[in-house]
Amino acid sequence: MAAAVLIALAAVYFLFNPYSSRFFPKCLFRELTGWKCPGCGSQRSFHSMLHGDIAAALTMNIWLPFASAYVALIVMAMLFSDRKSRFTAAVTNKYLFFAFLLFTLLWFVLRNICGV
């Protein structure tokens, strides 16, 4: 069921450009504060990645590929691996999670200070 939902979402993002389509949600945080959140630009970035334009995707949100890879590893560890395996232990390590949160926070600060 989850795979079907992900495939359907990917099809929507492939077929419709979030930059020009009105039915994609806008970032509520940016609308309220004027600041970019760590995920701002990720819809457009995902659309570009699906079309194979990695350079454009990275200019819209350079953090998205790293965050996506980390989340994908966690999902794989939870779904396809034994809970006591070394892979699951490495991916779900609390220090790795805190490092991910720290880099996300740094990305949030840097993109608003430097205008990225």
Side-chain angles (χ1 to χ4, degrees):
M1 182 68 151
V5 169
L6 289 175
I7 290 170
L9 281 173
V12 168
Y13 277 99
F14 182 81
L15 294 172
F16 301 100
N17 187 348
Y19 188 73
S20 59
S21 298
R22 300 248 182 233
F23 62 88
F24 288 99
K26 293 188 180 211
C27 179
L28 184 61
F29 183 79
R30 186 162 186 191
E31 293 289 319
L32 293 174
T33 65
W35 295 352
K36 292 180 181 178
C37 75
C40 277
S42 59
Q43 293 183 88
R44 291 175 284 129
S45 179
F46 187 60
H47 174 78
S48 295
M49 284 182 3
L50 288 173
H51 284 275
D53 193 354
I54 303 302
L58 291 174
T59 60
M60 291 173 204
N61 189 334
I62 199 166
W63 185 238
L64 181 68
F66 299 108
S68 299
Y70 179 67
V71 170
L73 286 174
I74 289 175
V75 168
M76 286 189 321
M78 292 294 137
L79 292 178
F80 303 117
S81 185
D82 180 19
R83 299 263 184 212
K84 295 180 182 179
S85 73
R86 290 188 338 185
F87 173 72
T88 302
V91 170
T92 60
N93 182 320
K94 68 179 178 181
Y95 298 112
L96 183 61
F97 177 71
F98 287 123
F100 175 77
L101 290 179
L102 177 65
F103 280 111
T104 302
L105 180 64
L106 287 173
W107 169 239
F108 171 67
V109 171
L110 285 175
R111 80 181 312 188
N112 286 296
I113 290 175
C114 299
V116 178

